[in-house]
Structure formats: C-alpha cells, structure tokens
Amino acid sequence: MAQKFIYKILQDINDNPDKIEEIAGTDALVRIIFENAFNPANKWILPEGTPPFKKADEPDGMFPTNLYLEARRIGYIFKRDDLKPIKREGLFIEMLESVDPDEAKILLAIKEQRLDKLFPKITPAVASKVAQINTEEADKMIADAQVAEDKAKQPHQSASQKRGPDGKFLKKANK
C-alpha cells in the first residue's frame, strides 16, 4: 500500500478532527509535527519569516525526498545550539527545496508554530490526542501570535498624529 502524503493526512484530520486517532493514531511523523507546531519549548532556532527558496518543480511523487524521510533531521537540525545559524538556515532551505511544495508549506508553518493557519480545525486540543502537548501553553502561544499579527496589520498612529475615519492623517491646526 502506498503511503499517503502528509499534507493529505493533515487535511483529513482537519476535515474530521474527531477521527484523529483513526487517521493518524500511530503515525510518528504526525506526532512529531504536532509536537513541534504546538509546543513552545520546541521552537526552531531559525529567523522569522519565509526564507528565499525555489519550490521543487518535479511531478507529483517524484520529489527527491519527503517529510517521512526528513523526520529524523527535524530534531537534529532545528533545535541544536551548536550549529552555526548560516548552516542551519542552509539545511532548512535545502529541505524546503527538495520536498513537495505542500510539505514545504507545512515546514514553514511548523517553523512559525502556526499550523492552525494551514489547517484551522487542527488545534492544540485536537493535536494533544496523539501528541504530548500542554494545551494551555499552546493556546496562549497561538493567541499571542494572533494579537501580534492583528497589531502589525493596524496602521501606525503616533500621539501627535491622528487619523480620520477614512484612515488618512488629519491636518494639524495652526497655533
């Protein structure tokens, strides 16, 4: 039997979160993904944002590697303090370029610990059914990230400058 792509497994879990044990109960990669995506202690030592990389353009199923083969490298590369940052980033970019573009999206979501952006119904509570996750810490981490994103989307307004209802700056009255 051919192994499903991890993106398809996560999509199935997102579609039926109640059946997570049936879909991925024994899948070690799903557990690794959830533990890295929802556990603040497992934050990867990589810079914020998406690195520049060229997406793999091979036909489906013909990619040089996949996340099942790269799973053991995840803990080895992204949590070690002794690797130089440039080496770690290079290995991450190499991994992004060699997997399916959907799997690359998953890796980027794990790095930012925002798997809930790709799969909204996969919450820390759902993931904790197959992985060891402190759901209170994970929920707080996601809420803090959401607040930071919302704050970044709002236009900046200093104390001396006020914006009108249309979002444009109001002219100062001459004194």
Side-chain angles (χ1 to χ4, degrees):
M1 181 174 137
Q3 187 156 19
K4 280 179 147 180
F5 283 109
I6 192 64
Y7 190 87
K8 177 69 174 135
I9 292 171
L10 293 176
Q11 190 62 51
D12 289 347
I13 293 170
N14 191 56
D15 294 342
N16 299 307
D18 296 334
K19 296 184 178 182
I20 188 170
E21 288 96 356
E22 290 175 37
I23 298 169
T26 60
D27 196 323
L29 180 59
V30 172
R31 184 181 47 76
I32 290 168
I33 287 172
F34 288 163
E35 288 175 357
N36 282 279
F38 294 115
N39 188 348
N42 288 342
K43 181 83 172 146
W44 290 357
I45 308 170
L46 288 167
E48 296 293 320
T50 303
F53 73 98
K54 182 181 176 263
K55 293 181 181 175
D57 57 357
E58 288 87 353
D60 283 346
M62 301 300 291
F63 300 100
T65 189
N66 61 45
L67 285 183
Y68 281 98
L69 298 174
E70 298 292 329
R72 66 185 176 92
R73 288 179 61 191
I74 288 175
Y76 176 74
I77 296 172
F78 306 124
K79 297 177 194 170
R80 288 180 46 183
D81 294 344
D82 61 336
L83 277 181
K84 292 184 179 181
I86 193 76
K87 177 70 173 171
R88 186 179 301 110
E89 292 171 39
L91 291 168
F92 183 60
I93 290 170
E94 180 182 300
M95 190 180 291
L96 290 172
E97 290 177 342
S98 63
V99 298
D100 181 280
D102 289 332
E103 291 183 346
K105 289 178 192 175
I106 293 169
L107 281 171
L108 291 168
I110 295 169
K111 178 183 83 73
E112 299 295 330
Q113 291 194 317
R114 292 304 310 270
L115 192 63
D116 60 303
K117 285 184 121 180
L118 283 178
F119 305 102
K121 292 182 183 175
I122 299 178
T123 63
V126 170
S128 68
K129 293 178 181 176
V130 294
Q132 294 180 353
I133 298 168
N134 181 338
T135 56
E136 290 177 15
E137 280 185 37
D139 287 337
K140 184 180 179 325
M141 175 190 67
I142 291 171
D144 290 347
Q146 188 64 45
V147 168
E149 285 177 10
D150 292 344
K151 186 176 180 182
K153 290 177 185 175
Q154 295 176 351
H156 173 71
Q157 181 171 328
S158 68
S160 63
Q161 294 178 322
K162 300 291 180 192
R163 292 184 184 264
D166 59 353
K168 295 182 180 179
F169 286 109
L170 299 174
K171 293 183 180 180
K172 291 184 180 181
N174 293 334
K175 292 187 177 186

